[in-house]
Amino acid sequence: MPLNKPTLDSLALLGGVPAFDRKLHVGQPNLGDRAYFMQRVERILDSRWFTNNGECVRELESALAAYLGVKHVIAVCNATIGLEIAIRALPMEGEVIVPSLTFVATAHALQWQQITPVFCDIDPATHLLDPLQVERLITDRTTGILGVHVWGRPCAVDALEDIAQRHGLHLMFDAAHAFGCSHRGRMIGGFGRAEVFSFHATKFFNSFEGGAITTNDDALATQIRLMTNFGFAGYDKVIHIGTNGKMSEVAAAMGLTSLRSVDEFVAVNRRNHQAYRERLAAIPGMALLAYDEAERCNYQYVVVEYSAAPGGPTRDDLVNALWAENVMARKYFWPGCHRMEPYRTLYPRAAARLPRTDAVAERLLILPTGTGVSQADVHTLCDLLVAMVGFGPRLRERIAALPPAA
Ligand code: T4K
């Protein structure tokens, strides 16, 4: 049914009825075969083996290794701990070059262990680390580069590998968004010295909470495995500094369940992305970030760069108006890590070298997708955007006149 929002007053933000009677989230979890999951949970309960390298974790690790074409997969409780462990295992110390346009966990994983995140600007076309600036930021204290495959699009891997090699730096990747994606026909997971995936509930492939560290380096894998389990090399035998990064059995059962449906999840995301692409192309100021169709992609983020027309509704106006309609659009990763605490206070000069990060972050609008979002939902949502942008300066004026939110 076509959306009926002919007047400003029909927008929910201005008193109308919301277009959706349920919330549409960015990252509402996908759920695979519920019966299969329940069966695995029953088995876990019967076995009385709930964590510590149980059957499901071992099965998930080997299934992921085969899927990703990588030698070692170490399942972890979440990607943040995974990043901390991998960073420490390499080891990275002193300064590490990292983008600011990322989820704050990337920066926290460094700062948490007293490593300085040196924020680097992005290529505005790809939203990924700019290798030219990476090289300019290298100092005597630099020990590594932590690239982030933002939105599942691969970093400029070859250029970063070349820089890392020439300067003797460790290179690893935060692949939190990039499960199921490839670069030059090779699955992400085998690049750099290690990569870290997130299987958080909001990721298209989830294990409730969870993640995995992947590497082709045998010695590094052994060390990471030890560090994930307090450094234990057997009962009562600790041979390394460690933490508790283990994935639980129930999380691994969910991971195995997700893995059985991964192709279907991607197909839904792809179809939604295609529908968004067709509809958003007609909306002035909206540019949908494209994925490389020649590679494998998970299409889990619908990333729009919105440039407001003079006097027209701003990006934040659209977000506010969408939320009122029950479309929980996000501004990932505004305002950039460098503008969040403690980074803003610790590294006040970083902003000066991040103009492209700042500019892109002001334009980003992330829209809902996943199995909880139908093609019809995408069309209704795009009808809403057509209406909102179409109201132009009148919408801006009405929103500006609203009382400040409590
Ligand atoms: N590196 C990068 C580049 C990352 O993007 C992330 C995580 C990490 C590292 C760290 O990975 P983990 O340690 O988390 O494994 C969310 C996620 O919490 C976070 O995992 C993710 N990136 C980030 C991009 O998004 P928030 O704080 O923006 O949103 P959250 O978790 O409250 O959920 C978003 C929306 O999804 C909610 O409004 C409601 C909906 N939702 C959420 C959950 C948890 C559901 O419908 N069901 C749910 O179970 O961070």
Side-chain angles (χ1 to χ4, degrees), residues 230-241:
F230 312 102
F232 274 112
Y235 283 128
D236 310 321
K237 190 176 171 198
V238 174
I239 61 167
H240 205 286
I241 180 83

Side-chain angles (χ1 to χ4, degrees), residues 124-148:
T126 63
H127 299 181
L128 301 164
L129 266 186
D130 169 12
L132 290 174
Q133 192 178 90
V134 167
E135 191 144 20
R136 285 200 296 270
L137 290 175
I138 295 171
T139 71
D140 292 348
R141 297 194 65 230
T142 310
T143 61
I145 303 166
L146 173 47
V148 183

